[in-house]
Amino acid sequence: MYANEDYLHELGAPHDEQSLKNHRFVYIDNAPQRLGIVKWFNEVVPPEQVVCTSNNREILERAILDGIGIGFMQCNGSSRFDKLKRVLPDIQWDFPNWIVTHGDLHRSEKIQAFLRILKSEEYQEAAMSK
């Protein structure tokens, strides 16, 4: 979760789940209910605290950047913006990934090289540090 630093200066940075009750949120419309992050959000944040919703990632990103509320962004995309600060960075969610290839390509050198990178300790450490 991320927020504009001006927003956090105005309302204070939340330090735990309980302190989220004092904040506004930007959230995706019709989020897939099976995801752990969505289940967590629905349990912790009452609907009246959601002040902006959209199905468009750019609109949600702009709302977070403009200080409308706290919202979800990908860690690798947030680094482009100086005024964004991570909120409750200790809360982590795992998202299972599937790599689907055509049967004829699965054993190709390119696919195998890609899989070696994804499974490497260096990649895992870099992904966890963001």
Side-chain angles (χ1 to χ4, degrees):
M1 291 187 295
Y2 288 87
N4 178 297
E5 65 184 17
D6 295 333
Y7 169 90
L8 294 174
H9 181 72
E10 176 188 339
L11 294 174
H15 53 278
D16 59 19
E17 286 182 6
Q18 288 290 27
S19 61
L20 291 175
K21 66 182 176 193
N22 303 316
H23 289 275
R24 301 181 307 261
F25 291 87
V26 171
Y27 196 58
I28 188 166
D29 279 335
N30 302 317
Q33 298 299 308
R34 69 185 177 282
L35 295 178
I37 191 171
V38 173
K39 291 176 185 175
W40 174 86
F41 186 85
N42 291 335
E43 290 172 6
V44 174
V45 177
E48 59 270 12
Q49 286 180 246
V50 178
V51 296
C52 175
T53 63
S54 177
N55 283 327
N56 185 299
R57 183 188 56 80
E58 283 107 14
I59 289 172
L60 295 172
E61 186 176 273
R62 185 80 255 159
I64 297 166
L65 291 169
D66 288 346
I68 291 173
I70 298 171
F72 294 101
M73 291 181 70
Q74 293 179 348
C75 294
N76 60 354
S78 65
S79 61
R80 299 176 295 157
F81 307 105
D82 294 335
K83 294 197 99 178
L84 277 185
K85 301 298 176 200
R86 194 156 177 200
V87 175
L88 299 178
D90 293 336
I91 297 177
Q92 299 282 330
W93 297 275
D94 292 326
F95 294 95
N97 291 302
W98 290 76
I99 298 173
V100 179
T101 63
H102 187 281
D104 294 341
L105 295 176
H106 185 71
R107 297 282 172 216
S108 72
E109 185 55 35
K110 287 181 184 179
I111 298 297
Q112 291 303 306
F114 180 65
L115 292 174
R116 281 192 297 277
I117 291 170
L118 291 180
K119 293 177 183 178
S120 72
E121 283 186 40
E122 294 86 3
Y123 180 84
Q124 297 298 322
E125 289 172 8
M128 292 304 293
S129 69
K130 291 186 176 185

